[in-house]
Amino acid sequence: MPEARNITLAVTGASGSIYAAEILRALATDDRVAKVNFVVSDSALRVFAEELQISGRNGLVEKLLGAANPKVQQHPESDIGANIASGSYPTDAMVILPCSMGTLAAIANGLASNLIQRAADVCLKEHRPLLLCVRETPLNRIHLRNMQLASDAGAVIFPVIPTLYNHPQDTTEMARQFVNRVLAHIDLPQPGAYQWQPD
């Protein structure tokens, strides 16, 4: 059986809290995942409050999952001394969902001024999977240039674009299918995920 994995999940202040909640639930219940290092920016907390009516940093994991989960460790965005800030810590992949254009810009230009940016920088320098689920439209030239810079450095640009071919019945199902695609990309395919069958 493959060794259980350590996944870093970061949430920034772009719209799309439902995606963050769905991927956290999937990781928390996946037996292949030993640890989830969970970082939520201050801006993301405001979006959680507006979109999901979940407020405050304290007890956020319990609010999102309905109960505490021992494998999920929440870190403050300001804690640049956290485990995931070091290349010697064995992170298997990092997903930023949703990823704001400000966070993309910081990562693309190597700023590493908070824990999300630093953890992403570590993934790039250690050649570990980094998925940036960017959320913005329309895209200006700065956004496109930063995506190119991040991609050239080794990140995967994975825009938050829901699928329609699976005929989702509500926004939760739409978010869940997108999350399934993200997790499959880091070798964590989910049971029940829709797969296109053209024949």
Side-chain angles (χ1 to χ4, degrees):
M1 183 175 177
E3 187 175 339
R5 304 171 68 193
N6 288 351
I7 305 296
T8 300
L9 173 61
V11 185
T12 67
S15 178
S17 296
I18 189 172
Y19 295 98
E22 284 300 317
I23 195 169
L24 181 64
R25 289 187 193 107
L27 290 170
T29 57
D30 194 321
D31 291 338
R32 296 165 295 180
V33 177
K35 180 80 174 281
V36 180
N37 287 290
F38 184 49
V39 192
V40 180
S41 74
D42 291 341
S43 297
L45 290 174
R46 178 170 180 175
V47 180
F48 272 126
E50 292 179 358
E51 294 184 350
L52 298 182
Q53 289 72 56
I54 293 174
S55 60
R57 186 179 302 279
N58 294 334
L60 180 60
V61 173
E62 291 86 342
K63 292 171 187 173
L64 289 169
L65 298 180
N69 189 297
K71 74 165 72 170
V72 181
Q73 180 179 3
Q74 187 175 340
H75 304 278
E77 179 187 27
S78 59
D79 186 6
I80 58 169
N83 52 8
I84 55 176
S86 173
S88 64
Y89 180 76
T91 298
D92 293 294
M94 179 175 182
V95 177
I96 305 181
L97 175 60
C99 180
S100 67
M101 287 297 140
T103 299
L104 167 69
I107 293 167
N109 292 280
L111 297 186
S113 60
N114 62 34
L115 182 57
I116 294 173
Q117 297 165 18
R118 171 60 186 167
D121 191 63
V122 166
C123 284
L124 294 177
K125 78 182 184 71
E126 299 292 336
H127 302 285
R128 297 169 180 164
L130 171 64
L131 274 65
L132 306 180
C133 300
V134 293
R135 182 79 161 81
E136 185 61 280
T137 190
L139 300 168
N140 65 36
R141 289 187 178 187
I142 295 171
H143 301 152
L144 294 169
R145 185 166 62 243
N146 286 334
M147 288 184 202
Q148 184 71 64
L149 286 170
S151 178
D152 288 346
V156 173
I157 307 301
F158 206 117
V160 181
I161 300 174
T163 60
L164 300 176
Y165 50 74
N166 55 312
H167 304 291
Q169 298 302 301
D170 55 34
T171 54
T172 299
E173 187 179 344
M174 190 176 287
R176 188 168 296 142
Q177 175 61 19
F178 177 80
V179 164
N180 288 343
R181 295 183 65 227
V182 170
L183 293 175
H185 202 83
I186 58 171
D187 297 321
L188 288 171
Q190 298 296 297
Y194 181 88
Q195 292 186 325
W196 175 249
Q197 302 292 338
D199 297 325

